Amino acid sequence: MRIDIITIFPGYFEPLSMSLIGKAAGRGDIEFAVHDLRAWARDVHHTVDDSPYGGGPGMVMKPEPWGDALDAVLPAPDPAGPPHQAGPGQVRLVVPAPSGRPFTQEMAVGYSRMDRLVFACGRYEGIDTRVIDEARARVPVDEVSIGDYVLAGGEPAVLVMAEAICRLLPGVLGNAESAADDSFGGGPGSGMSGLLEGPVYTRPRIWRDREVPPVLLSGDHAAIARWRRDAALRRTAQNRPDLAARLQPLDERDRQVLSEAGFPVNGEDVAH
């Protein structure tokens, strides 16, 4: 996978050279290219923003440098091809924005299957909307939010999304099964689909008079799996009732655990 990032703060992305993702990049499994938007500014001061039409506070990122940057970074469109088929491979432009659709584990999985992602990091009040509209005629474009809050720029959001995406790529995690047991992303075979991950433990067995749950030491894999699912159900009901309300299908034990957690379920497996 290749990931291009356009930003006015290229140094922000040094963490991508660290940890497992940095090692994967060092092996050539991931290619990162960080581009300084100011390289496409058209004046001696490398200006990339201006006051908004219609008045109001803040500044808006100018279309000229962004248009030139995307012309240089995005693949050239194929005049003979259908819309959204620009050049070889699958390419998508992702624009972090608080007004975008929420970023989810499901989206991370989808993005991890792309050949190439281009991230456009806005600042101030955002990028001139015409830039996004023009880009949509060339490649698929997603405006994406990582949460219901506002950041100073898109860079932190890109770091979050890049890590969520890249850790799903083959060979990045030491144990391929780790991603299957993640919160939100447990596959159908894991028995954890749609649940938050439950509590985890390691050695020593007793720490500050707190003991590891005995079932985890029992060697009974079926009992351990059931305990983990019960713990995940309780945590999901407590911390994310919106997710608990969508859990299907549920067995009798699931319904009992949710009910004990104050989240009763009716006969149609609808929690309320």
Side-chain angles (χ1 to χ4, degrees):
M1 168 180 276
R2 176 183 169 101
I3 294 179
D4 290 88
I5 302 168
I6 307 173
T7 174
I8 61 172
F9 295 117
Y12 210 105
F13 295 95
E14 291 182 6
L16 293 175
S17 65
M18 302 175 184
S19 191
L20 293 175
I21 291 173
K23 290 179 180 178
R27 294 192 303 267
D29 296 337
I30 310 168
E31 180 183 0
F32 292 108
V34 182
H35 310 274
D36 188 346
L37 178 66
R38 294 190 190 277
W40 289 279
R42 299 183 179 184
D43 67 323
V44 296
H45 301 292
H46 303 290
T47 306
V48 295
D49 62 294
D50 205 339
S51 56
Y53 275 123
M59 304 292 279
V60 175
M61 300 196 88
K62 293 164 62 69
E64 298 96 338
W66 270 110
D68 292 347
L70 292 176
D71 286 344
V73 174
L74 291 176
D78 180 1
H84 294 169
Q85 295 296 318
Q90 300 181 63
V91 184
R92 185 174 294 267
L93 175 63
V94 181
V95 184
S99 57
R101 64 191 183 109
F103 182 67
T104 65
Q105 185 70 14
E106 183 180 3
M107 290 174 67
V109 171
Y111 286 158
S112 72
R113 295 170 180 158
M114 304 292 293
D115 296 325
R116 187 176 175 197
L117 294 171
V118 178
F119 288 98
C121 299
R123 281 264 155 182
Y124 317 119
E125 296 300 309
I127 303 169
D128 187 302
T129 299
R130 292 170 293 181
V131 173
I132 312 303
D133 293 341
E134 196 273 342
R136 288 190 198 280
R138 299 173 56 183
V139 296
V141 178
D142 291 337
E143 294 180 86
V144 181
S145 168
I146 63 166
D148 294 340
Y149 46 85
V150 179
L151 301 169
E155 288 80 7
V158 170
L159 282 176
V160 167
M161 288 188 277
E163 176 147 329
I165 295 162
C166 290
R167 66 187 297 276
L168 298 173
L169 297 176
V172 173
L173 295 181
N175 185 340
E177 295 181 0
S178 295
D181 286 335
D182 287 339
S183 294
F184 314 111
S190 71
M192 304 297 283
S193 181
L195 291 170
L196 300 184
E197 190 172 2
V200 294
Y201 302 87
T202 189
R203 294 179 180 87
R205 184 174 62 85
I206 300 174
W207 177 79
R208 297 186 180 179
D209 297 327
R210 296 176 183 271
E211 187 171 359
V212 172
V215 65
L216 298 179
L217 310 174
S218 68
D220 185 336
H221 298 296
I224 290 171
R226 182 68 253 184
W227 181 90
R228 284 178 171 159
R229 181 169 176 83
D230 290 352
L233 284 164
R234 294 186 189 97
R235 179 170 285 182
T236 304
Q238 178 180 355
N239 294 347
R240 289 294 302 274
D242 57 314
L243 295 178
R246 299 199 296 268
L247 291 174
Q248 290 189 51
L250 299 174
D251 62 25
E252 190 60 37
R253 173 61 182 175
D254 292 338
R255 297 187 187 94
Q256 178 185 346
V257 171
L258 287 172
S259 180
E260 291 171 353
F263 211 81
V265 181
N266 65 24
E268 287 75 38
D269 284 354
V270 178
H272 55 279

